[in-house]
Amino acid sequence: MPSTPGPNALPRTGSARTVPKFASIGSPYFGILLAFMAVVLILSNIGASKGVAIGPIITDGGFFLFPLAYILGDVISEVYGFKVARKAIITTFALSVFASLCYWIIIALPGFDDEFGSTKQSALEGALGPVPQIVLASLLAFLAGQTINSWILVKMKARTGEKSLWARIMSSSVAGEFVDTLIFCSIAASVIGINDFAGFVNYVVVGFVYKTLVEFLFVPVTSLVIGYIKKREPSYTA
């Protein structure tokens, strides 16, 4: 009597596709990743309101934080799948929009009319005033970039199964980061004071190369985190 193939067996046809394994979101790990992702994005949006010039390099104050959001997106996509990653993206941006509304209310509230109060008000307006436009740029860019990043990673996992994790992370990162950087820089450049074409090109190229390189350098760490969570997620190891 022929044996019945297991749920993770490869199909007997010529197709290389497998059924990718994903965990459910019942454990605490997803909540921790989602909270970390939201905090990183909110802080990145605040930092992005400041233009930064390091020699000939033009970037913004959120440059060292934002790649972490994509690394967390890779972890969520690999462990929990595209649908859960999409929910994480939407939730993260809902929280980011909420933070932006809070900044607007804080700035609009009447403050003390002495010198200290006026100085404080000007500082808040200068630091947090541009953030709503930065949030719009980040919303459109991250929504598009992360969706592409997650979709490519999950599609590749359907072909390779648990193998070639590094290739999934790197390939999806290149596509996602390019779309993200182009959209974000197009909207945010004027907010941080970049008004000429040469400066804009510098901003886009530096942002894309930097964020992609950071993700590439962190592939070993990302892989270790993914492996750690996979082993401890009951619904993934079951």
Side-chain angles (χ1 to χ4, degrees):
M1 180 176 180
S3 60
T4 303
N8 296 321
L10 290 172
R12 295 184 180 181
T13 63
S15 172
R17 289 184 177 275
T18 63
V19 178
K21 182 191 295 186
F22 297 112
S24 65
I25 57 176
S27 77
Y29 291 105
F30 173 73
I32 294 171
L33 291 169
L34 177 59
F36 193 16
M37 189 176 182
V39 169
V40 166
L41 186 62
I42 290 171
L43 292 177
S44 297
N45 289 337
I46 296 173
S49 65
K50 176 181 178 178
V52 173
I54 304 174
I57 296 174
I58 298 175
T59 183
D60 58 63
F63 78 95
F64 67 98
L65 276 170
F66 194 76
L68 293 177
Y70 262 82
I71 291 171
L72 291 165
D74 287 338
V75 175
I76 292 172
S77 298
E78 173 68 22
V79 177
Y80 300 99
F82 179 71
K83 290 184 179 179
V84 173
R86 186 172 55 192
K87 290 180 181 179
I89 294 168
I90 294 172
T91 302
T92 297
F93 273 100
L95 293 172
S96 184
V97 170
F98 174 72
S100 183
L101 290 174
C102 290
Y103 303 150
W104 178 79
I105 293 171
I106 291 168
I107 292 172
L109 288 172
F112 298 148
D113 56 4
D114 57 9
E115 183 179 354
F116 177 78
S118 298
T119 302
K120 201 74 170 177
Q121 179 69 17
S122 297
L124 283 170
E125 291 175 356
L128 300 180
V131 167
Q133 188 168 338
I134 295 293
V135 169
L136 174 62
S138 194
L139 173 63
L140 297 177
F142 194 69
L143 186 62
Q146 266 286 18
T147 301
I148 290 171
N149 177 76
S150 177
W151 184 82
I152 291 175
L153 190 149
V154 171
K155 283 293 183 180
M156 291 182 68
K157 185 174 182 178
R159 292 183 176 275
T160 62
E162 296 296 314
K163 299 178 181 179
S164 304
L165 175 59
W166 63 272
R168 294 198 293 277
I169 294 173
M170 295 175 74
S171 299
S172 61
S173 296
V174 169
E177 290 289 12
F178 177 75
V179 171
D180 181 289
T181 304
L182 185 60
I183 294 174
F184 179 81
C185 292
S186 298
I187 299 173
S190 61
V191 179
I192 66 171
I194 299 174
N195 298 308
D196 61 282
F197 183 72
F200 173 75
V201 172
N202 188 316
Y203 190 31
V204 172
V205 172
V206 168
F208 169 67
V209 171
Y210 165 76
K211 288 184 285 188
T212 304
L213 284 178
V214 168
E215 287 212 53
F216 283 6
L217 289 174
F218 272 82
V219 165
V221 178
T222 305
S223 300
L224 287 174
V225 173
I226 288 172
Y228 177 89
I229 295 176
K230 281 181 177 179
K231 290 178 182 179
R232 286 158 179 79
E233 273 287 9
S235 58
Y236 199 95
T237 55

